[in-house]
Amino acid sequence: MKPLSALFAAAALLAATAAQAQTKWDLPAAYPAGNFHTENLVQFAADVARESGGKLKITVHDNGSLFKAPEIKRAVQGGQAQIGEILLANFQNEWQIYGADGLPFLADSYDAAAKLYQAQKPLLEKKLGEQGMMLLYSVPWPPQGIYVNKPIASAADLKGVKWRAYSPATARIAELVGAQPVTVQAAELSQAMATGVVQAYMSSGATGYDTKTYEQLKYFYDTQAWLPKNAVIVNKAAFDALDKPTQAAVLKAGAAAETRGWALSKQKNSEYLELLKKNGMQVLPPSPQLKADMEKVGQVMLKEWLAKAGPEGQQLIDAYRK
Ligand code: PCA
């Protein structure tokens, strides 16, 4: 071999080794690029790339582009995606504990949500572990309020209204107030409003802004009813296949993303509400009657949830209230 071609061969071999040494993970997510959860994921992926010295490259697929919201958990479990972001409350029918943070007025502030998370976390880790996954981190959405196409003074004003649900609990709220539930994930919400399929829904200022709800529904009642959490979950076999320093990079970046995410959620909440107002939305406190009605709904739902969740659910509530 001539010296020059030997050099080329060596370079090619080096390139091939480098390519082999890089692991690529797909991260399906359900929310749009500009959403704070998604921005946090992109930052997390950049941190992992840096901390791992380029050994692990995570690609974020936002807005349900790789898997739709309800499919992401199964995709991570089955290894079609190595890591993914889910809304825990979406999976309440599978296991009631997943829906604990979707119950109205159980934990209705950031402090209460943090406390509930601490009580819920060991259970989540255990269950996800049994399902071949790991909980990497979890971040709450801002508090949930009611978007609606007309002024409302009480829950009775929601009777017969076409109500968008994103989870079993938000569908149950509709039933309890006499609205007509239809399940629509965030990625399809703008279209559902534009075609008149949705006249009201409960969610955060974040999703109201992301979906330009102000173009369709003009009232937001800031009930601050609950703070559902997204969770970033990892396929355990994919994690175990990483070398130790890369595993450490993932865990470190995940912990940083959790801290950053909680702060972002809180800070962005007021920004989102301001943006809604700027775009013509009336952001209003609920009337005492509406508040009382929704709290009643919460009490009914907690009772129903406890009956389904059994002793595990009671332990969680006890740990949370301790
Ligand atoms: N936004 C998501 C879930 C909770 C939230 O604030 C949604 O509406 O789909």
Side-chain angles (χ1 to χ4, degrees):
M1 224 184 247
K2 285 187 188 125
L4 197 63
S5 57
L7 205 67
F8 279 133
L13 190 70
L14 210 70
T17 315
Q20 261 170 19
Q22 186 180 63
T23 302
K24 290 183 176 170
W25 279 8
D26 286 311
L27 192 166
Y31 305 99
N35 178 270
F36 75 96
H37 285 291
T38 313
E39 288 174 348
N40 199 29
L41 285 173
V42 169
Q43 177 69 55
F44 159 76
D47 289 353
V48 169
R50 195 194 57 245
E51 293 281 340
S52 72
K55 274 197 192 163
L56 178 59
K57 182 177 191 294
I58 298 178
T59 304
V60 177
H61 303 269
D62 60 34
N63 216 24
S65 56
L66 189 60
F67 292 100
K68 303 255 176 252
E71 299 164 1
I72 293 174
K73 180 165 174 284
R74 194 181 294 272
V76 175
Q77 187 169 7
Q80 289 94 342
Q82 296 78 13
I83 182 169
E85 184 184 53
I86 62 169
L87 178 73
L88 289 167
N90 263 347
F91 302 93
Q92 183 180 344
N93 285 343
E94 179 192 320
W95 185 53
Q96 291 297 317
I97 305 295
Y98 283 136
D101 60 16
L103 297 169
F105 301 108
L106 176 63
D108 55 6
S109 66
Y110 279 94
D111 286 347
K115 231 182 137 198
L116 181 61
Y117 179 38
Q118 287 318 308
Q120 196 186 17
K121 197 173 174 183
L123 299 172
L124 293 173
E125 283 172 340
K126 183 161 179 283
K127 180 59 124 197
L128 287 166
E130 287 163 9
Q131 297 183 331
M133 293 179 280
M134 291 164 50
L135 175 68
L136 186 62
Y137 74 85
S138 184
V139 167
W141 287 90
Q144 309 283 291
I146 306 173
Y147 291 99
V148 57
N149 64 349
K150 59 177 186 186
I152 56 169
S154 70
D157 291 335
L158 292 165
K159 281 220 166 62
V161 160
K162 292 182 202 161
W163 176 281
R164 173 259 176 169
Y166 62 74
S167 63
T170 48
R172 184 65 185 136
I173 294 172
E175 287 173 5
L176 290 169
V177 300
Q180 295 177 42
V182 49
T183 298
V184 178
Q185 290 308 324
E188 282 87 43
L189 181 53
S190 295
Q191 202 190 345
M193 284 186 289
T195 55
V197 175
V198 168
Q199 300 170 321
Y201 71 97
M202 286 189 81
S203 188
S204 57
T207 291
Y209 182 69
D210 288 346
T211 57
K212 294 194 164 71
T213 292
Y214 46 78
E215 289 180 357
Q216 308 291 341
L217 312 175
K218 299 295 180 190
Y219 299 89
F220 179 70
Y221 292 91
D222 191 11
T223 51
Q224 305 182 14
W226 71 96
L227 293 82
K229 291 187 299 297
N230 278 358
V232 175
I233 55 175
V234 180
N235 179 287
K236 186 68 167 53
F239 184 79
D240 288 345
L242 301 173
D243 62 26
K244 289 279 173 250
T246 308
Q247 289 181 348
V250 171
L251 296 178
K252 186 176 170 198
E258 182 163 277
T259 307
R260 188 173 58 234
W262 280 75
L264 258 178
S265 178
K266 211 172 185 171
Q267 167 215 324
K268 284 248 173 173
N269 180 37
S270 31
E271 290 176 23
Y272 282 128
L273 297 183
E274 280 312 310
L275 284 165
L276 289 177
K277 282 185 209 163
K278 239 184 225 153
N279 283 280
M281 177 86 71
Q282 298 218 36
V283 175
L284 304 161
S287 70
Q289 185 62 55
L290 180 59
K291 180 99 206 272
D293 291 345
M294 297 312 288
E295 280 172 349
K296 180 89 188 300
V297 165
Q299 283 158 18
V300 171
M301 287 176 61
L302 178 59
K303 236 176 143 182
E304 291 175 347
W305 182 84
L306 280 168
K308 285 191 194 160
E312 204 175 29
Q314 190 60 57
Q315 279 161 22
L316 167 55
I317 300 298
D318 292 345
Y320 163 59
R321 288 191 168 151
K322 198 168 62 191

